[in-house]
Amino acid sequence: LVLINGCFSFDRVMWQLRSEQIISFHAITTPLSPNYFAFNFRTIPHYWRTFIHLDECEKTVQDTKKITQDAQNHALAILARASKSFHTASRLLPWDLRLDLGCLYAFARAMDDFIDVPPTKEGETGEGVKMLRELATVTFQAPKDDSLEKISTEIIRVLSAHESLFNRDGRKQIRDDLIYSAQAVSSLRGIVPLHLWMELIDGYATDNDLEPPQFTKFEDLADYSQNVAGAIGEMCVRVVLGRSGIVVDTSYKVERELDKESLMGRKLNAKIAVPKVEYGIEASSTIKNLTGETVAKILLDSRRMGVSLQLINIARDVAKDAEELGRCYLALGKEESDLREKLEKGAMEKDGLGLEEEKERIFKHKVELVDVAREIFRGNVTTIDLLPNEATKSGLRAACAVYVGIGEAIHRDGVEKCLG
């Protein structure tokens, strides 16, 4: 019983210490936590002081903690609602990384939900994308010493300036999702660069355009996948590294590979630019052994992995995208424009898509995508071993395994179930 109580007390100390360091010392991008734990003469006073004053803090800090807690709870609810697989796999992560990555995913998901509501008039797409860019900017370009209250005021100001976008069914709840998830993820500024959110929004702009995408070659599809998934992969790895004690320069940009051979890691690239990195004062020897060259490889491979998983998503959702959105994300040449036309008419076909006779062709494209995704995955998955935390490695492997399973199911189901 004493041991159990001691464990609970220590967890509470770590929770409060981490929360207060993030709130009170915004320049600390790597607060003490389970993922960044040190026990020495510098840190022991912090643990004791937090234990002695557990649940005691200034009213301003209490108010900020309340806002932070509410925002994080809302963000994790978005995660649980939107992605049961990621939510389940994230339970293998240390709680501090689970919280950070959950909030990151929630903000991306809230943006995606906003975009998924189709525009009803000309110009609405442009205004919606502009609003998302402004929202990302006030959230991630705010100075490190800005209070959460100040950032929250800016977040609400941006959404209020575009209030007409939310005065319709399907977007009223999304407004709250955007506010809370932006508040929750704002502590990651200084770790996740703004340019990655701009990439992601470029991908969302493709999804929200009144005209469906017209991908005619693999490079078109890879460019889109780099936006909507490569950027997310890099964000996640930057968070893992940043919260483990190695912060990558936010101005550093990873090469956007579009050809299959490069994505699979088979092409010898020119020398990769090396980012500037900063090591936390309590960083472990494992972290300090990660050189700039190794970090560059990890970030590049994380984008490749993101593209791989997105290709599987596209293969899985061919029929769904046609039925619900009237969109085709397959790369189809001019000789297959008839198949694209049938898929794009899906949202208007009340009595079926008329795709039964196209099962063979659709299955062929789905299998081709899955096979390319598998090769990209196999060429880069070992990079997970370079990450510093064993629990983190397990959680990321579990999340990737879900998508590997989807690819295997597509192969196993065959032609007859390819529209399922």
Side-chain angles (χ1 to χ4, degrees):
L1 185 60
V2 171
L3 183 60
I4 293 173
N5 284 333
C7 289
F8 277 119
S9 296
F10 185 75
D11 277 348
R12 287 189 64 200
V13 167
M14 292 304 298
W15 175 273
Q16 180 157 319
L17 179 59
R18 181 181 190 272
S19 300
E20 290 180 359
Q21 284 191 335
I22 289 175
I23 292 169
S24 303
F25 308 98
H26 297 276
I28 299 179
T29 51
T30 310
L32 291 169
S33 66
N35 194 55
Y36 184 67
F37 179 75
F39 198 74
N40 55 43
F41 288 116
R42 287 189 300 270
T43 61
I44 288 173
H46 289 294
Y47 300 137
W48 272 113
R49 185 163 52 250
T50 304
F51 177 71
I52 293 169
H53 299 287
L54 204 58
D55 297 328
E56 295 178 14
C57 53
E58 297 178 5
K59 186 179 185 305
T60 53
V61 176
Q62 285 181 338
D63 292 343
T64 303
K65 284 178 70 175
K66 176 69 165 58
I67 296 172
T68 303
Q69 189 68 60
D70 289 346
Q72 290 173 343
N73 288 341
H74 193 106
L76 293 180
I78 295 172
L79 173 64
R81 179 179 75 232
S83 178
K84 291 182 174 59
S85 57
F86 185 83
H87 183 256
T88 301
S90 70
R91 293 183 182 277
L92 295 175
L93 297 170
W95 63 256
D96 52 327
L97 278 180
R98 181 169 69 247
L99 182 61
D100 284 332
L101 294 178
C103 292
L104 180 81
Y105 180 93
F107 188 45
R109 186 68 206 196
M111 286 184 172
D112 193 23
D113 288 344
F114 172 84
I115 286 294
D116 278 347
V117 179
T120 57
K121 58 183 179 181
E122 289 286 343
E124 189 175 293
T125 295
E127 185 183 353
V129 170
K130 178 184 177 184
M131 183 274 293
L132 292 181
R133 293 192 191 283
E134 291 174 3
L135 179 61
T137 299
V138 299
T139 303
F140 281 87
Q141 213 169 48
K144 286 184 179 179
D145 58 353
D146 271 7
S147 67
L148 179 57
E149 289 81 359
K150 183 175 180 179
I151 295 172
S152 298
T153 299
E154 286 298 296
I155 289 169
I156 293 171
R157 178 190 62 77
V158 167
L159 298 187
S160 298
H162 300 276
E163 195 67 43
S164 61
L165 293 172
F166 299 96
N167 294 331
R168 47 186 289 201
D169 291 339
R171 278 189 175 164
K172 294 176 182 178
Q173 172 62 43
I174 295 173
R175 185 181 190 277
D176 288 342
D177 289 350
L178 286 170
I179 290 172
Y180 282 115
S181 60
Q183 289 174 335
V185 83
S186 65
S187 68
L188 296 178
R189 66 194 188 280
I191 295 179
V192 178
L194 177 62
H195 71 256
L196 291 178
W197 291 103
M198 295 306 177
E199 275 191 73
L200 182 65
I201 294 168
D202 283 342
Y204 289 163
T206 300
D207 293 334
N208 196 235
D209 201 317
L210 284 172
E211 291 298 320
Q214 301 282 317
F215 302 146
T216 58
K217 56 186 184 297
F218 178 81
E219 288 74 12
D220 298 333
L221 182 55
D223 185 60
Y224 168 76
S225 298
Q226 283 281 14
N227 284 339
V228 297
I232 290 288
E234 184 183 342
M235 287 183 201
C236 290
V237 167
R238 280 179 178 261
V239 171
V240 171
L241 293 175
R243 293 306 203 201
S244 300
I246 179 169
V247 179
V248 184
D249 180 11
T250 54
S251 67
Y252 178 72
K253 293 186 178 181
V254 180
E255 181 184 356
R256 288 168 55 92
E257 297 171 322
L258 303 181
D259 64 285
K260 294 177 184 178
E261 292 298 304
S262 293
L263 288 167
M264 293 174 186
R266 295 175 180 174
K267 182 185 286 187
L268 289 176
N269 295 327
K271 187 176 180 181
I272 300 174
V274 177
K276 291 188 294 185
V277 297
E278 294 183 8
Y279 301 97
I281 191 172
E282 305 299 344
S284 66
S285 58
T286 302
I287 285 292
K288 291 180 178 177
N289 285 335
L290 288 177
T291 64
E293 288 80 4
T294 303
V295 170
K297 173 177 171 50
I298 292 172
L299 294 178
L300 178 62
D301 290 355
S302 70
R303 293 192 69 106
R304 292 169 173 173
M305 293 278 285
V307 170
S308 168
L309 303 187
Q310 180 62 24
L311 294 180
I312 291 176
N313 263 343
I314 291 170
R316 177 193 63 191
D317 293 339
V318 170
K320 180 182 177 183
D321 289 335
E323 291 173 358
E324 298 181 5
L325 304 174
R327 288 175 176 267
C328 168
Y329 288 92
L330 298 175
L332 301 175
K334 290 182 179 179
E335 68 280 4
E336 292 192 285
S337 58
D338 60 319
L339 178 58
R340 184 191 305 282
E341 186 177 347
K342 287 184 178 182
L343 289 167
E344 289 177 354
K345 287 182 177 179
M348 297 177 282
E349 297 274 347
K350 298 297 184 183
D351 300 321
L353 297 175
L355 293 176
E356 285 296 316
E357 69 276 16
E358 302 294 354
K359 278 184 176 181
E360 291 282 353
R361 277 204 290 173
I362 291 173
F363 181 67
K364 177 177 74 75
H365 284 291
K366 291 178 70 164
V367 166
E368 286 175 356
L369 275 185
V370 168
D371 288 345
V372 171
R374 277 177 169 177
E375 290 303 310
I376 297 173
F377 183 83
R378 287 170 182 159
N380 299 283
V381 68
T382 54
T383 295
I384 292 177
D385 295 332
L386 298 175
L387 295 175
N389 184 289
E390 289 301 323
T392 301
K393 296 175 189 178
S394 298
L396 294 178
R397 287 193 191 102
C400 291
V402 172
Y403 287 88
V404 172
I406 293 170
E408 290 174 350
I410 289 172
H411 265 281
R412 185 174 60 248
D413 290 345
V415 176
E416 287 309 307
K417 294 183 179 180
C418 76
L419 297 182

